[in-house]
Structure formats: structure tokens, C-alpha cells
Amino acid sequence: MKSLEELKAIRERMQSQVSMRGEDHSHTRVVVGMATCGIASGARPVLTKLSNLVQEKNLTDKISVTQTGCIGLCQYEPIVEVMEPGKPKVTYIKMTPEKAEEIVERHLIGGHVVDNYTLSSSDIK
């Protein structure tokens, strides 16, 4: 960077790219917490399983699997959040690759939240 104008141009270009990615309200987003606590708890195999299943089942036009940093609930890691258009966010806790497979089948394909794996108000103390 050589000038403040160049920095502003880079910022505008990056903001337009970010807004284009975040504006697809017809897409289901599956987000895996991949901060240090999530990785240490086994989030990487969960992310891999979710990504592979979405690709194998040809769901990439409807579902995106991404990662994020700290979700703020370290004791419940690995955490997976499912954000479907027009529905409340669902937070799955203490995930494993096997649970992730069940989430894909029952929730993402079947449309039924797997309550056994969700965060409820009784979990928060």
C-alpha cells in the first residue's frame, strides 16, 4: 500500500465481496466453530464430515458449510450452528462426525431438528 486512497479502494473492494457472500438468504448455512477450543475438542473432523456429506449428497446448491472463530461457549465444543432462511438458528453442541452425519440426514435433508444434540436453556448455567 502506498497511499490512503489505495487502502480505501482495497477496503471497498473487500466489503463488496463480503456483502455478496453474505446476502444469499435462500441458502442454508452450516457453521462450525473452529477457534482453538473447537479444534482441540475435535471440530476439524466434524467440519470435514459435514463438508464431505453436503458434497456427496449434491446439496451444495442449497447448503454451505463454513467455519467461524470463537462462538463463546467453549465447554460445549465442537459447536455447529445451522441457519436456515426464515427459521431460528439451531445450535448443536458436543458434536462428533457421527452426530454430524445424523444432522445431515435428519435436519438438513429431513427437516427435523435433532433436539438431543441442541443447546437448550437448561444447559446454560
Side-chain angles (χ1 to χ4, degrees), residues 77-102:
E77 293 285 357
I79 295 174
V80 173
E81 294 181 326
V82 176
M83 292 165 265
E84 296 177 279
K87 296 182 181 179
K89 174 176 69 175
V90 177
T91 302
Y92 289 107
I93 60 172
K94 300 182 180 180
M95 293 298 295
T96 64
E98 295 77 23
K99 289 179 181 178
E101 193 165 352
E102 191 174 346

Side-chain angles (χ1 to χ4, degrees), residues 1 5-6 13-14 21 26 30 41 45 49 51 55 62 72 77 83 87 90 98 101 104 107 111 113 117 119 125:
M1 282 177 279
E5 290 77 30
E6 188 177 348
R13 190 171 61 245
M14 296 310 292
R21 285 193 308 245
S26 65
V30 179
S41 298
K49 178 62 102 173
S51 296
Q55 289 176 2
K62 300 177 203 161
E77 293 285 357
M83 292 165 265
K87 296 182 181 179
V90 177
E98 295 77 23
E101 193 165 352
V104 170
H107 185 161
V113 174
Y117 307 147
L119 180 66
K125 297 176 173 115

Side-chain angles (χ1 to χ4, degrees), residues 22-75:
E23 291 300 315
D24 186 1
H25 297 292
S26 65
H27 220 72
T28 296
R29 291 180 47 222
V30 179
V31 180
V32 180
M34 290 289 289
T36 306
C37 53
I39 293 169
S41 298
R44 190 171 310 280
V46 172
L47 175 65
T48 301
K49 178 62 102 173
L50 288 166
S51 296
N52 289 345
L53 287 170
V54 166
Q55 289 176 2
E56 288 169 15
K57 295 184 180 292
N58 297 315
L59 300 171
T60 55
D61 60 330
K62 300 177 203 161
I63 300 170
S64 63
V65 178
T66 59
Q67 63 185 41
T68 190
C70 183
I71 294 175
L73 300 166
C74 300
Q75 67 270 32

Side-chain angles (χ1 to χ4, degrees), residues 7 15 30 38 102 109 119 122:
L7 179 61
Q15 282 181 329
V30 179
E102 191 174 346
I109 295 173
L119 180 66
S122 64

